[in-house]
Structure formats: structure tokens, C-alpha cells
Amino acid sequence: MPNRLPTPFSRRRLLLAGIAASLAACRSGVAEGPGAPAEQRLRLLAEARWAHRLDFAGTPVGGLSGIDYDRSSGEYLLLSDDRSDLAPARFYSARWPAVEGAAPQATGVALLRQADGAPWPARGAASPGTPVVDPEAIRWRPDTGTVLWTSEGDVARGFGPALHESRRDGTLVRQIGLPPMFEVDRRGRRGPRDNLGLEGLALTPDGRDAWVAMENALLQDGPVPTLGAPGGPCRFTRIELAGGQARRQIAYVPDAIPLRPLVPGSYADNGVSEVLMIDAHRMLVLERAYAAGTGNSLRLYEIDTREGSDTLALDALAPDNHRPVPKKRVADFALLGLSRLDNSEGLCWGPDLPNGRRLLVVLSDDNFNPLQVTQFAAFEFTDKS
């Protein structure tokens, strides 16, 4: 999330986010933009929170931007997007055996390691040329007992987004290469925008492929969303995990910003915050928007990855050289009965429900901000395939 940029802008946004969060706690507004679906496909089952900066094993819990479920252990894996500033980059494990009962309970923490076994350095302490990570999304690989996780990198320092694989104890297995289009351009004419990189990660049910999803468009592909227009296309890339090679890519167009800031002209944004496979080809896409003084908007869409043209060979996307994947609305979270909408960035399937339907768990990232919350929300998902 951009609030971690070490600039005056980031501090202003963090303050504005806090103001918006306190206002949103008192009221939930329906986002502007396209109408809600005729039938909501999510039903709220439970909502729980963790205390601000909950201490676990000597680390402050917060910034939880990724979640997945390990069926074999019955544990959820929770990735913190702390850039090793408050504690080394890490992910937690937790149990939530009865979603309609008590809140989840943390059970463990694993420090993410570099190839030499050392924890990742803090951005402020890293020497020039030393990579730092900005963890965003996590997926459990049951066939290998490892986790995949994305980093948005640090464009200002010359490092682009990355996809890593680590063992359950945090030791690094490998970094999986990405296509050249994701490399940082020092001239700032192409490649990823800072802090708008790999925000989403999905694993196909057979475990053979991963999809990595950009939050916003690459510089050469189009603009970020505005109040009046959707953003340029975000690239979603399928990676064959056995060989670590990109095999296909599609373009997804995020909505125009659906909320107006309280003060005209102040900060507002929208982008992809997570993706999740429904089956081998269909994917859920979570769009998260924020407007200063107004709050957050959360919308869930479904796409079929076969319906967009392959953009992997295209150096730059233009309206006449590709077909974006169509999308259909699954839910507007403002209509689901949550006590508040916050900065939700995590999405995963939990254990199957007694009625045979799927449990969808949504997790919010509090940015380590006391005016925001770490929120777990559990929903019954209705599939319309």
C-alpha cells in the first residue's frame, strides 16, 4: 500500500486514511458507479477483529495483506506487508475452527529468509543495490509443503515486483522469474508504478500454475483509474510452477474510482487487491478503492481467464491490440452487513461449510494504523457456474 512510501505524501495519506476509517466506522455508504448485482452471491456468516499491534512472539501483528488456508493442518497463513521496518518480513499461522464463535487465534510466526538464510533487511537500513521486499499475497502449495508469496518490490530503489517460494519455516526455495515487462525502467517511462505492483496471487486447483495480478497498469499500458474513467489494463500472468515460466497473460480493466473524496481534489484510488481461483479457469478479483475523508469501497468480480486474449507477447497494451477479459459483479461489500469497510487485501477459501458450499474468508490490512482494523470476515459463497 502507498502509505508505506517514506515521503511526506505517504504520511499525509496515512493521516487521511485514519480520518476516513473513523468516519467509516460510523457510517457505511454505498459506492457510486455501476449498480449492484440483482442477487448478492456472498452471505455474511461472521466478522472478527484482532487488536491493534497484537504482540505475538515478540512481533507486532498488523499489515496483514495476504491469507490462505492449509487444509492439512487446519491453519490459515497470514502474510504481513511490514517491509522489515517493525520486525523482519514474516507470515503468521492462525486457527479459526468456528467462524461464528471466537476470533482466530495466532499459532505461529515464520520469518521470511533470503537465499543466504538472513532475514530481509529493512528499507531504511539496506545498502544501495540491496533488494528489499514488500510482501503482499501468499498461497499455500499442499503438494510441496511450501508457500508462494509476492513482493511489490521497491521501484524507487530499482527493484520491481517478484514472486518467491519459501518453506513453511520461511527459508527461501527460489525466486521465480517474471517477464521483462515487469522490470524497472530508471527513466520512469515503462514498467511497474511504485507500490502498484503484484498485489494478487492465485493458485490453480491442480497446483500446477500460479496467476500473479498487478494492482494497476504498467506505465506503458495506461493510466491509473480516476473518478471519471477506468484505469489502464492490469496484467494477470499465468506462471507454470514446475519450470517457473510465464505461459499466458490477460488484461483486466479496473473500475473508475467509485467514491468521491470528502474534499474535492484530494486523494482517491482504485485497484486490484487480490485474486482467487474458483476452478481451473474462473477467478475472483477483488477491487479495493479508497477516497480521503469518505472511506473504502470493496467490490468482488468474477472472470473467466479463457475469455481474454493473450497479451504476453505485447510490449505495450493499446485498445486495438488485445481483448480485455470481461467481468461480472459478484458482490458489493457495502451491501453485505459488515460493521465497516476497511483496506481488505486478503482472500482465500476456508474449510467447506456443512451445507456443501464454500467458505470465503476476507482479511483487511490495517497499515499498522490505530484508526484502521485487522478484520476477518467469513462468507458463504454461492457459485453460479
Side-chain angles (χ1 to χ4, degrees):
M1 284 296 293
N3 69 280
R4 291 188 299 278
L5 288 172
T7 63
F9 168 77
S10 69
R11 291 189 290 271
R12 287 195 300 271
R13 186 180 177 191
L14 183 60
L15 176 60
L16 291 169
I19 295 171
S22 60
L23 289 171
C26 301
R27 54 178 171 81
S28 292
V30 178
E32 299 176 10
E39 180 183 2
Q40 294 278 0
R41 292 169 55 188
L42 298 184
R43 182 173 69 87
L44 180 63
L45 299 177
E47 178 182 350
R49 298 182 186 181
W50 275 357
H52 175 63
R53 292 209 185 192
L54 171 73
D55 180 85
F56 184 82
T59 68
V61 179
L64 301 180
S65 61
I67 184 172
D68 206 12
Y69 182 66
D70 174 5
R71 286 179 176 269
S72 62
S73 68
E75 292 180 309
Y76 291 90
L77 305 180
L78 316 168
L79 183 68
S80 174
D81 63 10
D82 181 0
R83 292 185 178 187
S84 296
D85 294 326
L86 302 175
R90 59 203 178 276
F91 67 91
Y92 298 90
S93 57
R95 293 186 183 277
W96 199 11
V99 297
E100 297 183 65
Q105 294 295 312
T107 56
V109 60
L111 304 185
L112 294 166
R113 306 282 178 171
Q114 302 177 79
D116 64 1
W120 290 92
R123 188 179 194 268
S127 58
T130 301
V132 295
V133 292
D134 182 5
E136 289 296 343
I138 189 169
R139 293 295 170 208
W140 170 248
R141 294 190 67 190
D143 55 333
T144 60
T146 57
V147 295
L148 297 172
W149 57 279
T150 65
S151 168
E152 287 194 294
D154 192 327
V155 171
R157 291 172 53 90
F159 302 105
L163 175 63
H164 299 86
E165 184 170 11
S166 298
R167 298 180 182 88
R168 187 68 178 263
D169 65 2
T171 56
L172 185 67
V173 175
R174 58 175 171 163
Q175 179 173 331
I176 300 172
L178 298 175
M181 64 191 66
F182 297 111
E183 295 176 0
V184 172
D185 175 16
R186 291 286 191 176
R187 299 169 299 175
R189 298 176 182 175
R190 57 194 312 103
R193 292 175 162 90
D194 200 26
N195 228 4
L196 294 174
L198 290 185
E199 193 78 16
L201 174 63
L203 190 67
T204 55
D206 62 10
R208 295 179 179 179
D209 299 277
W211 284 90
V212 290
M214 295 292 286
E215 182 175 355
N216 271 178
L218 297 174
L219 288 166
Q220 68 267 31
D221 291 340
V224 298
T226 66
L227 286 169
C234 303
R235 297 196 191 224
F236 292 4
T237 308
R238 180 171 65 86
I239 308 290
E240 181 202 6
L241 292 174
Q245 297 295 315
R247 296 302 185 192
R248 192 165 185 270
Q249 188 182 81
I250 57 175
Y252 176 93
V253 179
D255 292 344
I257 299 170
L259 296 170
R260 295 186 178 277
L262 189 62
V263 178
S266 56
Y267 189 84
D269 65 8
N270 183 51
V272 173
S273 67
E274 186 58 288
V275 292
L276 179 67
M277 299 307 298
I278 301 173
D279 54 31
H281 303 290
R282 292 182 301 139
M283 176 189 290
L284 293 176
V285 181
L286 181 61
E287 291 192 32
R288 172 217 48 215
Y290 167 79
T294 302
N296 290 96
S297 165
L298 301 169
R299 295 176 174 189
L300 191 64
Y301 291 93
E302 180 184 322
I303 63 172
D304 189 319
T305 57
R306 296 168 294 186
E307 295 180 358
S309 61
D310 191 349
T311 61
L312 190 57
L314 299 178
D315 183 62
L317 301 183
D320 60 352
N321 69 359
H322 73 287
R323 183 180 69 258
V325 64
K327 61 185 184 181
K328 54 185 177 182
R329 183 91 64 82
V330 171
D332 184 334
F333 282 69
L335 306 176
L336 296 180
L338 290 165
S339 62
R340 66 184 287 172
L341 301 185
D342 213 299
N343 180 37
S344 293
E345 297 190 3
L347 204 65
C348 78
W349 301 117
D352 294 336
L353 294 170
N355 63 6
R357 290 189 174 176
R358 299 175 91 168
L359 174 69
L360 182 69
V361 179
V362 182
L363 175 66
S364 72
D365 170 2
D366 70 349
N367 291 315
F368 292 97
N369 179 354
L371 296 180
Q372 293 181 259
V373 296
T374 297
Q375 177 193 58
F376 297 82
F379 299 92
E380 178 185 88
F381 173 77
T382 299
D383 196 349
K384 292 295 186 180
S385 61

